[in-house]
Amino acid sequence: MSRTRWRYGTAAAAFLVAASLIPTTAHAEDVTDYSITVDPAAQGAKIDDTMYGVFFEDINRAADGGLYAELVQNRSFEYSTADNGSYTPLTAWTVGGTAKVVDDSGRLNDRNRNYLSLDAGSSVTNGGYNTGIRVEKGKRYDFSVWARAASGTTLTVSLKDAAGALATARQVAVKGGWAKYDATFTATRTSNRGRLAVAATNAAALDMVSLFPRDTYKNQPNGLRRDLAEKIAALKPGFVRFPGGCLVNTGSMEDYSEASGWQRKRSYQWKDTVGPVEERATNANFWGYNQSYGLGYYEYFRFSEDIGAMPLPVVPALVTGCGQNKAVDDEALLKRHIQDTLDLIEFANGPVTSEWGKVRAEMGHPKPFHLTHIGVGNEENLPREFFANFEKFRSAIEAEHPDITVVSNSGPDDEGSTFDTLWQLNRDAGVDMVDEHYYNNPQWFLQNNDRYDSYDRHGPKVFLGEYASRGNAWSNGLAEAAFMTGLERNADVVKLASYAPLLANEDYVQWRPDMIWFNNRASWGSANYEVQKLFMNNVGDRVVPSKATTTPNVSGPITGAVGLSTWATSAAYDDVKVTAADGSTLLSDDFSGDASKWTHTGAGAWSVQDGQYVQTDAAAENTMVQAGDPSWHDYDLHVKATKKSGKEGFLVAFGVKDTGNYYWWNLGGWNNTQSAIEQAVDGGKGTLLTKPGSIETGRAYDIDIKVRGRQVTLYLDGQEWGSFTDDKPAEPFRQVVTEDARTGDLIVKVVNAQAAEARTAIDLGGAKVASRARVTTLAADQDAVNTETDTPVTPVTSTFSGVAEKFTYTFPANSVTFLRIKQG
């Protein structure tokens, strides 16, 4: 088939978007780039209403300072060095006069350990999150505080910024022992830099100093920030997975009690997070800050219900992950966690006469939450230890609640020995559903659209609980959209899928990319968000089988120079030699002289020491040096490497084109727990091969890498470690067709992830259709990124009047297009 291609700029791209809406009719002489053939009579997979959902984890300040609407940071003075080395109990507060944080028997309650002792005539002021406390003119804000003071004490509560008052100050009279006091402000000005101040006439004890906007999502008490909740609701998610993530399976598995020493670094345990907010435990968040648990399990269930989504909680399996990798050997503790999980189901579904159903009812929700799925564990790297515990959870749950689907997982990667072992264990045990997680570069997603085509149709179903293409540019959204067409095509296997993470506060970022970004005044959807929203709002109820032509693959051999690097490690390299396939020497360096053959392109500190090339900065990451010619191909690379100190091992690169495009063998990565082959494409990394293993300090390793065409074989100390062939085409043109049972629409979904339009012949297989289609298009430059002030990736809706049983449509460059076509 002849194909026409050209490149163009932004103005021409806009012209082509408009031109694609002009009616066109297929003729025999038409020249097209692709063809799509639909078979409406064939039976495709049923798509469940819960196909797509959202994954919530308190990372990037997603809860406190984010979705949870509380405006006061560190409201109960519980911040600690256990949360973050820079924290004190007065973090986010400033003191006028004399005040101190006290931990003694005069506290509000046992689980709220600290309180503030404020001297007469003194005050404290809270700075909130980001630039300060956000208030909007004319809106109401509810203040509350737990206080204890001698009768006759008055608290003066004020909202202000550098320019002056933001509302009329309030006077609160405190009378005796601990009690809760309330006041309401109406903002007289809008400000992003507000401060909340509390001053006392006499000595007073304060705790749980709170300021909530009256205008929360659905006006719920202890509620959610409206704009963030509305953006999530606009996705129309089929489920909400919570509370994590690494929060679930890291830290101590003990409870928060005197018996356990009030442990602060605990796994997320649901009973800590329900009941009155002033009695909920605090905890150190795995991601380096404090989590108050003001947003807890009750609020997660309530939010899921409010947006019409299935709740899907995940509980710890007592095998830690996320670099900790330890199985808890305590049978009594395991039994307690299993019982906690049974109690969770009762909290969600039990009658008000049950112990935990009564707790739910007392919190304001007598009706059950209709829990149907529960996950056990998250990304465990100890597959057999995890699965032994998982089976005990599963057995106990199924014995009492046979209608609950118990979800297992397959570890933290998309392949490798842990993945293979866990999948085999899950298959052999007849597990209902397995949670897969992976983060890879866009090319991986373009290459793996067919990932689930070969999965066993009679085996466990897949919950793709976390995935993303390591970026928030439009190129990332395009790659994810292309992959999602494969998820839908395999909807009989992939029953649930959620991009991750969901939220990121721009001033508190631990992980990128993220779907929705925000600060204290605004929120915006990333390019990835627009893709997720388009798919979630146009799922359909069944797949209509279809086929499409593909783009010719013109990839040649793996080419590139070689490189050396480290990650949070000091290492020494020696005896580097690159030999061509014919035996000729391309590079030889024993570092007996200088390092002039090498170019330093990364971080770190490199120098020649005692005949070795040494990177001495044990804290630096990605310290790449490279040598050779980017046109090299079909060669053997030999390196001798020795770890000197640090957290990980070493990295040996090959196929190096530039600083963002290369392969490397990462030996002793992930805190020296595993080794992998990673491929970087335009700066985003994907994993091609992974195995467990660690690197010893002070030991010299012989590393050999054989590159032939697109096949690579790797040797460690003379023994073959593994091999791979990187020959999958990164297909830029993907499609899937679904049918909406309610409207009767055929939904033709096409991704054109290349910088050229795609004129496409579409054959609807004799389906009787209307001549007009509703079109939604996402199109932008591949490097476009949505920000607070600029959203180049925005859906454009239009009408196309050239639909017939056979017609031609031109899909714009770098686009995702959905055509909704009426049948009948």
Side-chain angles (χ1 to χ4, degrees):
M1 179 179 292
S2 69
R3 311 175 68 248
T4 303
R5 292 294 168 91
W6 63 88
R7 296 181 181 273
Y8 45 84
T10 303
F15 167 78
L16 286 172
V17 171
S20 71
L21 309 181
I22 298 173
T24 58
T25 304
H27 298 287
E29 67 272 17
D30 277 354
V31 176
T32 56
D33 299 315
Y34 297 94
S35 64
I36 297 172
T37 305
V38 183
D39 186 358
Q43 188 65 39
K46 178 182 179 294
I47 306 175
D48 294 343
D49 292 341
T50 52
M51 173 75 183
Y52 294 121
V54 293
F55 160 72
F56 183 91
E57 180 173 9
D58 187 2
I59 184 174
N60 311 311
R61 287 280 189 189
D64 295 334
L67 184 61
Y68 186 48
E70 174 66 77
L71 296 171
V72 175
Q73 184 177 179
N74 188 19
R75 65 184 177 185
S76 59
F77 310 99
E78 296 291 337
Y79 276 27
S80 164
T81 53
D83 310 324
N84 186 293
S86 67
Y87 282 0
T88 75
L90 282 171
T91 292
W93 294 92
T94 55
V95 176
T98 305
K100 63 180 179 179
V101 175
V102 181
D103 174 4
D104 65 16
S105 58
R107 62 179 64 88
L108 179 60
N109 59 67
D110 278 347
R111 293 167 71 78
N112 194 330
R113 306 294 292 170
N114 291 346
Y115 65 94
L116 183 75
S117 176
L118 189 64
D119 281 3
S122 298
S123 66
V124 287
T125 301
N126 190 268
Y129 298 91
N130 299 92
T131 58
I133 292 173
R134 162 76 174 184
V135 297
E136 295 182 49
K137 182 178 179 179
K139 293 200 173 178
R140 301 177 74 184
Y141 297 85
D142 293 323
F143 167 83
S144 65
V145 64
W146 282 80
R148 185 190 69 206
S151 295
T153 299
T154 298
L155 301 180
T156 299
V157 187
S158 58
L159 264 174
K160 57 188 178 182
D161 64 9
L166 294 169
T168 302
R170 301 301 184 198
Q171 306 293 319
V172 177
V174 180
K175 304 173 183 178
W178 284 111
K180 185 179 180 181
Y181 300 90
D182 304 287
T184 298
F185 294 98
T186 299
T188 55
R189 289 191 292 114
T190 293
S191 176
N192 302 320
R193 301 179 180 276
R195 301 290 187 265
L196 177 73
V198 182
T201 56
N202 299 318
L206 307 179
D207 208 342
M208 294 297 291
V209 183
S210 173
L211 187 70
F212 257 86
R214 178 73 58 87
D215 183 24
T216 60
Y217 184 66
K218 300 281 188 182
N219 297 312
Q220 295 276 18
N222 195 49
L224 306 182
R225 178 171 152 174
R226 179 180 288 276
D227 64 325
L228 292 178
E230 286 178 344
K231 281 186 171 58
I232 299 168
L235 293 167
K236 299 181 181 178
F239 65 87
V240 177
R241 175 179 178 257
F242 60 88
C246 289
L247 303 187
V248 170
N249 68 334
T250 54
S252 167
M253 299 294 166
E254 299 288 348
D255 62 1
Y256 192 59
S257 67
E258 184 176 10
S260 65
W262 306 106
Q263 294 192 35
R264 285 293 290 270
K265 294 187 175 183
R266 308 182 310 283
S267 64
Y268 199 111
Q269 299 174 48
W270 78 271
K271 289 181 179 178
D272 286 344
T273 78
V274 297
V277 290
E278 69 274 8
E279 295 178 9
R280 298 184 190 180
T282 193
N283 201 8
N285 183 297
F286 174 82
W287 299 107
Y289 53 89
N290 176 274
Q291 49 190 344
S292 71
Y293 288 147
L295 176 58
Y297 258 68
Y298 176 77
E299 289 76 26
Y300 288 129
F301 278 120
R302 190 181 66 193
F303 180 53
S304 300
E305 181 180 73
D306 283 344
I307 64 175
M310 176 182 80
L312 205 168
V314 181
V315 299
L318 274 71
V319 177
T320 58
C322 301
Q324 297 182 359
N325 303 334
K326 180 180 179 181
V328 178
D329 184 18
D330 186 330
E331 194 64 27
L333 189 57
L334 176 63
K335 287 180 178 178
R336 193 267 286 173
H337 275 265
I338 291 172
Q339 185 58 51
D340 281 354
T341 304
L342 297 174
D343 292 344
L344 171 59
I345 297 170
E346 183 176 284
F347 175 79
N349 294 349
V352 296
T353 54
S354 65
E355 178 184 359
W356 289 101
K358 181 181 179 182
V359 173
R360 181 194 71 240
E362 289 174 345
M363 294 184 72
H365 202 285
K367 293 182 179 179
F369 283 117
H370 305 295
L371 177 67
T372 60
H373 292 63
I374 191 165
V376 176
N378 173 77
E379 295 188 6
E380 282 74 21
N381 263 316
L382 301 174
R384 297 191 184 279
E385 292 87 340
F386 158 73
F387 201 77
N389 284 0
F390 171 82
E391 283 286 65
K392 293 175 182 177
F393 277 86
R394 180 189 180 204
S395 176
I397 294 168
E398 291 182 346
E400 293 193 21
H401 305 280
D403 54 334
I404 297 286
T405 298
V406 186
V407 183
S408 182
N409 76 80
S410 59
D413 301 303
D414 59 272
E415 56 83 48
S417 59
T418 297
F419 178 88
D420 292 339
T421 299
L422 276 169
W423 257 107
Q424 190 62 53
L425 291 168
N426 284 310
R427 278 193 295 267
D428 291 347
V431 168
D432 290 329
M433 185 173 285
V434 176
D435 187 2
E436 292 190 353
H437 293 182
Y438 40 80
Y439 297 89
N440 287 305
N441 60 32
Q443 179 163 303
W444 185 94
F445 285 92
L446 293 174
Q447 290 175 321
N448 285 276
N449 175 275
D450 63 348
R451 175 179 177 86
Y452 296 105
D453 290 1
S454 59
Y455 270 50
D456 182 1
R457 270 40 211 171
H458 304 290
K461 302 305 179 185
V462 173
F463 170 23
L464 179 50
E466 295 186 34
Y467 73 98
S469 68
R470 297 190 185 274
N472 280 141
W474 181 226
S475 57
N476 300 99
L478 285 167
E480 290 155 6
F483 189 72
M484 292 170 79
T485 66
L487 300 183
E488 290 192 6
R489 188 175 64 251
N490 290 284
D492 57 329
V493 169
V494 183
K495 307 304 287 184
L496 307 170
S498 50
Y499 177 101
L502 178 61
L503 296 173
N505 187 323
E506 67 174 356
D507 292 336
Y508 307 92
V509 180
Q510 292 86 39
W511 181 273
R512 298 173 188 268
D514 304 285
M515 195 195 299
I516 300 170
W517 289 79
F518 65 94
N519 49 39
N520 67 345
R521 63 187 175 272
S523 58
W524 57 96
S526 64
N528 320 69
Y529 172 86
E530 295 299 343
V531 166
Q532 294 292 324
K533 184 178 178 182
L534 185 58
F535 274 84
M536 288 193 202
N537 282 260
N538 297 276
V539 182
D541 299 285
R542 76 172 182 98
V543 176
V544 181
S546 59
K547 295 180 180 179
T549 52
T550 59
T551 307
N553 178 26
V554 293
S555 62
I558 291 173
T559 62
V562 298
L564 310 171
S565 191
T566 59
W567 199 285
T569 302
S570 173
Y573 294 92
D574 202 358
D575 298 334
V576 179
K577 189 169 185 179
V578 181
T579 307
D582 63 5
S584 60
T585 299
L586 300 175
L587 173 70
S588 181
D589 201 338
D590 64 2
F591 303 105
S592 56
D594 57 25
S596 58
K597 298 176 183 178
W598 298 84
T599 301
H600 186 187
T601 59
W606 290 87
S607 61
V608 175
Q609 299 179 13
D610 300 323
Q612 295 181 313
Y613 201 20
V614 184
Q615 198 292 112
T616 54
D617 186 344
E621 299 178 347
N622 198 2
T623 65
M624 178 86 81
V625 291
Q626 62 188 66
D629 190 327
S631 67
W632 282 352
H633 62 89
D634 297 298
Y635 56 77
D636 296 324
L637 167 62
H638 172 78
V639 180
K640 188 178 290 290
T642 305
K643 173 181 176 178
K644 298 177 73 67
S645 65
K647 296 179 180 179
E648 304 206 345
F650 26 76
L651 303 125
V652 179
F654 55 97
V656 180
K657 292 182 171 62
D658 52 47
T659 56
N661 294 275
Y662 54 84
Y663 302 81
W664 68 19
W665 189 359
N666 185 347
L667 290 128
W670 295 271
N671 287 320
N672 205 15
T673 61
Q674 59 181 308
S675 299
I677 301 299
E678 295 180 282
Q679 181 184 14
V681 179
D682 295 331
K685 292 191 186 69
T687 302
L688 303 179
L689 181 65
T690 183
K691 292 184 178 183
S694 59
I695 294 299
E696 298 174 24
T697 301
R699 174 184 166 188
Y701 290 84
D702 282 308
I703 297 165
D704 291 276
I705 301 172
K706 181 178 181 178
V707 181
R708 293 294 183 273
R710 300 202 67 81
Q711 182 174 355
V712 179
T713 308
L714 306 116
Y715 301 86
L716 188 61
D717 288 335
Q719 301 296 313
E720 183 173 334
W721 178 86
S723 65
F724 69 93
T725 303
D726 182 21
D727 60 356
K728 276 190 172 183
E731 174 58 57
F733 188 84
R734 296 291 188 183
Q735 60 81 39
V736 70
V737 181
T738 65
E739 182 179 47
D740 186 324
R742 184 181 62 83
T743 64
D745 290 353
L746 284 179
I747 312 172
V748 180
K749 312 174 186 183
V750 177
V751 181
N752 181 30
Q754 57 192 326
E757 65 177 5
R759 184 170 167 79
T760 305
I762 300 174
D763 183 347
L764 297 179
K768 302 302 180 185
V769 294
S771 62
R772 295 165 66 88
R774 287 189 291 122
V775 184
T776 306
T777 304
L778 293 168
D781 293 335
Q782 287 214 6
D783 59 356
V785 176
N786 285 358
T787 67
E788 179 183 354
T789 57
D790 185 27
T791 53
V793 182
T794 301
V796 175
T797 58
S798 58
T799 301
F800 175 64
S801 300
V803 178
E805 290 184 17
K806 296 182 179 180
F807 66 101
T808 299
Y809 192 93
T810 300
F811 295 97
N814 303 323
S815 67
V816 181
T817 306
F818 280 29
L819 298 128
R820 292 192 72 112
I821 303 170
K822 289 285 184 187
Q823 295 186 93

